[in-house]
Amino acid sequence: MSVVGRDEVRALLESPSPDATLVLVGGRCEVVPEERAEGLVIASRRDLRSLVGDGPVDDRRLGELADRLDTVARDLGA
């Protein structure tokens, strides 16, 4: 089972907070402002936007990003 899915990636990319961060807390992912990032930091909105640009992201790309971030989370010990 994945730790990071399309919904989490979408929430991070669509967050109104420019410093949004995806963190793993208690076995689940949350999108929080960077200054409130407690737990295992997986990626920032800034990081993802540098990969995909400012335009819309289709479902295929969301899936690719989710797989990539899921691997990151697992490598970090999730």
Side-chain angles (χ1 to χ4, degrees):
M1 182 168 174
S2 296
V3 175
V4 181
R6 287 183 179 142
D7 292 339
E8 289 81 13
V9 174
R10 185 178 292 114
L12 181 58
L13 289 171
E14 294 177 352
S15 173
S17 175
D19 68 339
T21 304
L22 183 65
V23 297
L24 184 66
V25 179
R28 57 183 275 259
C29 288
E30 296 179 14
V31 176
V32 298
E34 186 175 34
E35 68 271 1
R36 289 190 20 226
E38 295 179 15
L40 187 63
V41 175
I42 299 170
S44 71
R45 181 175 184 256
R46 200 171 309 123
D47 293 337
L48 282 190
R49 279 293 167 200
S50 70
L51 289 174
V52 299
D54 291 328
V57 179
D58 64 18
D59 265 357
R60 181 188 62 78
R61 186 68 172 136
L62 280 174
E64 291 170 354
L65 291 168
D67 289 345
R68 191 171 184 178
L69 293 181
D70 190 64
T71 299
V72 168
R74 292 183 188 285
D75 287 349
L76 290 171

